[in-house]
């Protein structure tokens, strides 16, 4: 996410009024309502139908959590989005600049700033088990409680909410994946045995796509599809809208002994069909939703880093070579684009930011194994390069100037790999301040590259 008009705030008055009316009904009778950014799979990047926080706040950045009270509303986000959020939100909202001194996180706000005995509503499909457990523990001291509800934002959104995508799901051939789905499932079962678990439920979309060697396009710029998976010692099930699977994918799943079950039935199925005996355990990842864990049974789950997360992160030789080859091809498209752009600017042509992005995509589309962009191209001239995840509006964007810095952050999805490349150019004579700033950035990169970083250090801390 990150698109939308960055200059015109969204009027959220009626949306908030409708949400508060739902909050104040006898059931659930809420003092606060929580709206996270993520979908039911913990995804950072969303299908349009899951952009609930964007709908209720007007802020379209990819990170942030909204807290709506009966008489006020707050958005908590980090420093990447302070400028964008301040421009996109109207006066109904208070921007909580998380990371600055004396600004609490949304968790701290709920547990320390709300009145005692508050009732805080949330959709259990959208909150991870870790966040839910931490909140419940901290809220006890103030005798406040979390109240699971249906999704109230969806009710406000009503018929205007876009439908869930149902795009084709297809096989990623083993010549690109380097390992068969059958072998990956066998390896997963070995890992479960080591961890003394009898089964696992997988919610993360990238992990499901990797495990079954399937790809889709339900979320823009991401080769994933909506599904859940459950794997035990003797069975495997994929919860998916079956009509999305093309014949080759359906046949491959059948050959691997994978049952296909309706996507919307996952919670009911897990409740009615235990994955293991009462004395056995089901392993789930830390980002798994409270709804899924409640369906399995909290007392039957082991919550820790999921085995597929680790297996997916260790690339085999085929995948590594695919990354190399995809970057070589992608680099040729970038070189062609920057050469074209320089010639156009030197000849006095007028090229705006959006036209530049379109030309780069044109060159990428000519490449072998190209499947689409990996995110909207950030084609930004001058001060626009300072806006995080800037996306030029084709109808209203700046002209690329040869006497200003030009930042291009772009990437592509190929069958054999994904690219994400940022380059900063100057097509004229850079000013002394631009040279100084560029050099400082280079020095910063060198310092990070040579720094000794203690274990457990987060990127945010750095």
């Amino acid at each position: 996410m990150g698109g939308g008009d960055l200059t015109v705030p969204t009027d959220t008055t009626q949306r908030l009024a409708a949400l508060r009316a739902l909050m104040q009904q006898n059931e659930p009778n809420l003092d606060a309502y929580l709206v996270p950014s993520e979908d039911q799979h913990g995804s950072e990047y969303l299908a349009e139908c899951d952009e609930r926080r964007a709908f209720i706040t007007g802020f379209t950045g990819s990170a942030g959590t909204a807290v709506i009270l009966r008489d006020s509303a707050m958005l908590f986000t980090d420093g990447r989005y302070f400028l964008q959020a301040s421009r996109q939100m109207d006066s109904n909202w208070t921007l909580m600049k998380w990371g600055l001194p004396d600004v609490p996180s949304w968790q701290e706000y709920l547990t320390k700033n709300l009145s005692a005995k508050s009732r805080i509503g949330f959709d259990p499909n959208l909150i991870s088990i870790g966040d839910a457990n931490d909140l419940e523990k901290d809220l006890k001291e103030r005798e406040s409680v979390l109240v699971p509800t249906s999704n109230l934002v969806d009710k406000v959104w009503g018929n205007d909410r876009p439908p869930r995508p149902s795009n084709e799901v297809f096989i990623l051939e083993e010549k690109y994946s380097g390992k068969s789905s059958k072998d990956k499932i066998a390896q997963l079962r070995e890992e479960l045995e080591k961890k003394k678990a009898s089964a696992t439920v997988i919610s993360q979309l990238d992990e499901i796509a990797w495990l079954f060697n399937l790809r889709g396009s339900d979320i823009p710029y991401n080769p994933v599809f909506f599904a859940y998976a459950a794997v035990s010692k003797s069975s495997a099930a994929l919860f998916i809208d079956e009509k999305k699977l093309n014949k080759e994918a359906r046949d491959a799943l059948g050959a691997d002994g994978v049952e296909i079950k309706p996507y919307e039935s996952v919670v009911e199925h897990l409740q009615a069909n235990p994955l293991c005996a009462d004395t056995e355990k089901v392993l789930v990842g830390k980002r798994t939703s409270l709804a899924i864990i409640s369906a399995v049974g909290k007392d039957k789950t082991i919550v820790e880093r999921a085995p597929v997360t680790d297996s997916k992160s260790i690339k085999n030789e085929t995948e590594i070579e695919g990354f190399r080859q995809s970057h070589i091809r992608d680099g040729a498209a970038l070189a062609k684009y920057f050469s074209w752009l320089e010639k156009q600017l030197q000849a006095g042509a007028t090229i705006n930011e959006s036209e530049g992005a379109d030309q780069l995509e044109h060159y990428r589309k000519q490449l072998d194994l190209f499947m689409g962009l990996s995110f909207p191209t950030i084609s930004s001239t001058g001060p626009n390069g300072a806006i995080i995840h800037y996306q030029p509006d084709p109808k209203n964007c700046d002209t690329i100037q040869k006497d200003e810095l030009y930042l291009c952050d772009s990437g592509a999805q190929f069958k054999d790999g994904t690219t994400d490349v940022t380059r900063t150019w100057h097509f004229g004579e850079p000013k002394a301040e631009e040279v100084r700033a560029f050099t400082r950035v280079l020095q910063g990169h060198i310092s990070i590259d040579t720094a000794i970083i203690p274990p457990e250090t987060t990127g945010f801390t750095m």
Side-chain angles (χ1 to χ4, degrees):
M1 293 173 67
D5 194 324
L6 299 182
T7 60
V8 181
T10 300
D11 185 353
T12 61
T13 302
Q14 292 184 353
R15 297 174 187 180
L16 286 171
L19 180 62
R20 289 181 174 125
L22 293 171
M23 289 169 56
Q24 295 176 45
Q25 291 178 355
N26 288 337
E27 288 296 333
N29 188 26
L30 303 174
D31 300 293
Y33 191 71
L34 182 64
V35 185
S37 295
E38 297 79 11
D39 65 8
Q40 60 269 37
H41 300 278
S43 307
E44 178 181 2
Y45 300 101
L46 306 175
E48 195 175 356
C49 61
D50 292 321
E51 294 179 354
R52 298 178 177 91
R53 194 226 54 228
F55 169 79
I56 202 66
T57 66
F59 165 61
T60 61
S62 63
T65 300
V67 175
I68 297 94
L69 309 182
R70 293 192 175 193
D71 58 0
S72 61
M74 285 140 286
L75 173 83
F76 297 77
T77 192
D78 62 64
R80 295 174 297 166
Y81 295 109
F82 291 168
L83 176 60
Q84 181 180 340
S86 65
R87 290 180 174 180
Q88 290 186 315
M89 294 193 304
D90 65 7
S91 59
N92 289 302
W93 292 88
T94 299
L95 175 58
M96 304 296 285
K97 297 180 178 181
W98 180 69
L100 295 186
D102 302 322
V103 178
S105 65
W106 64 268
Q107 296 95 330
E108 291 168 337
Y109 186 89
L110 291 175
T111 56
K112 297 178 181 179
N113 291 62
L114 294 189
S115 302
K117 300 183 179 180
S118 290
R119 291 171 57 82
I120 302 162
F122 72 107
D123 180 348
N125 292 286
L126 306 183
I127 299 295
S128 72
I129 183 61
D131 279 340
N133 285 343
D134 291 344
L135 277 173
E136 284 182 340
K137 178 183 175 182
D138 293 339
L139 288 170
K140 274 186 179 180
E141 298 178 9
R142 301 177 66 86
E143 298 183 71
S144 294
V145 293
L146 288 175
V147 182
T149 70
S150 58
N151 197 287
L152 302 189
V153 174
D154 287 354
K155 291 184 178 181
V156 174
W157 210 343
N159 294 331
D160 292 332
R161 183 182 172 216
R164 185 163 298 283
S166 187
N167 300 327
E168 183 185 51
V169 175
F170 56 91
I171 291 174
L172 181 71
E173 298 97 318
E174 194 173 333
K175 65 181 178 180
Y176 302 122
S177 68
K179 192 171 187 177
S180 70
S181 175
K182 185 176 182 179
D183 288 343
K184 290 179 180 180
I185 294 171
Q187 180 187 0
L188 173 58
R189 287 178 171 139
E190 291 174 3
E191 292 299 321
L192 291 174
E193 189 171 352
K194 291 177 186 177
K195 295 177 180 291
K196 296 181 169 47
S198 297
T200 185
V201 177
I202 306 168
S203 300
Q204 276 62 57
L205 302 183
D206 58 328
E207 295 182 1
I208 295 169
W210 178 87
L211 181 64
F212 295 104
N213 283 344
L214 297 174
R215 296 293 186 268
S217 58
D218 282 348
I219 295 180
Y221 310 106
N222 291 263
V224 298
F225 50 91
F226 287 107
Y228 292 92
V231 177
S232 69
K233 295 176 181 177
S234 58
S235 66
L238 182 66
F239 295 84
I240 187 173
D241 180 357
E242 186 172 0
K243 68 177 182 291
K244 296 164 62 167
L245 296 164
N246 67 20
K247 184 179 185 305
E248 290 79 9
R250 195 179 299 110
D251 291 346
L253 290 168
D256 289 341
V258 179
E259 295 182 83
I260 301 171
K261 298 184 180 298
Y263 174 73
E264 301 292 347
S265 72
V266 61
V267 169
E268 292 79 5
H269 181 89
L270 292 173
Q271 289 172 333
N273 301 275
L275 289 171
C276 59
D278 290 341
T279 57
E280 297 177 314
K281 296 289 185 179
V282 177
L283 190 150
V284 294
K286 295 179 180 179
R287 293 164 59 195
T288 305
S289 73
L290 177 62
I292 292 295
I293 287 183
S294 298
V296 173
K298 281 188 177 182
D299 58 335
K300 294 184 65 174
T301 58
I302 303 171
V303 181
E304 62 178 59
R305 186 176 173 90
V308 175
T309 302
D310 290 334
S311 298
K312 176 176 171 289
S313 69
I314 302 171
K315 303 304 179 185
N316 59 49
E317 289 302 319
T318 300
E319 291 172 314
I320 293 171
E321 183 59 25
F323 284 142
R324 291 193 185 105
Q325 294 303 319
S326 61
H327 273 86
I328 289 170
R329 293 194 305 276
D330 198 57
L334 284 164
K336 186 179 291 188
Y337 167 62
F338 291 130
S339 174
W340 171 86
L341 181 58
E342 182 174 31
K343 290 176 181 177
Q344 293 294 313
L345 295 179
Q346 296 300 339
T350 299
I351 308 292
N352 68 33
E353 296 165 320
S354 179
E355 290 169 339
D358 291 344
Q359 186 66 28
L360 176 54
E361 183 174 1
H362 168 73
Y363 288 135
R364 280 194 165 114
K365 284 180 176 179
Q366 298 173 10
L367 301 174
D368 290 341
L369 308 182
F370 175 81
M371 301 299 291
L373 300 182
S374 54
F375 56 95
T377 296
I378 301 171
S379 171
S380 51
T381 188
N384 292 339
I387 301 175
I388 299 296
H389 295 175
Y390 173 77
Q391 186 178 346
D393 182 349
K395 299 178 181 178
N396 181 26
C397 63
D398 289 343
T399 298
I400 300 173
Q401 303 291 337
K402 70 176 183 179
D403 58 351
E404 290 188 327
L405 287 170
Y406 174 67
L407 182 143
C408 184
D409 184 359
S410 65
Q413 300 283 5
F414 300 93
K415 281 193 173 182
D416 57 348
T418 301
T419 66
D420 180 346
V421 183
T422 304
R423 293 291 181 266
T424 304
W425 289 83
H426 202 296
F427 299 105
E429 187 68 31
K431 303 176 184 68
E433 174 59 20
E434 292 171 333
V435 172
R436 189 197 69 81
F438 191 94
T439 304
R440 288 286 186 264
V441 171
L442 173 60
Q443 290 173 321
H445 278 284
I446 293 172
S447 296
I448 291 175
D449 185 59
T450 56
I452 305 300
I453 301 171
E456 310 292 325
T457 302
T458 64
F460 180 79
T461 302
M462 293 169 58

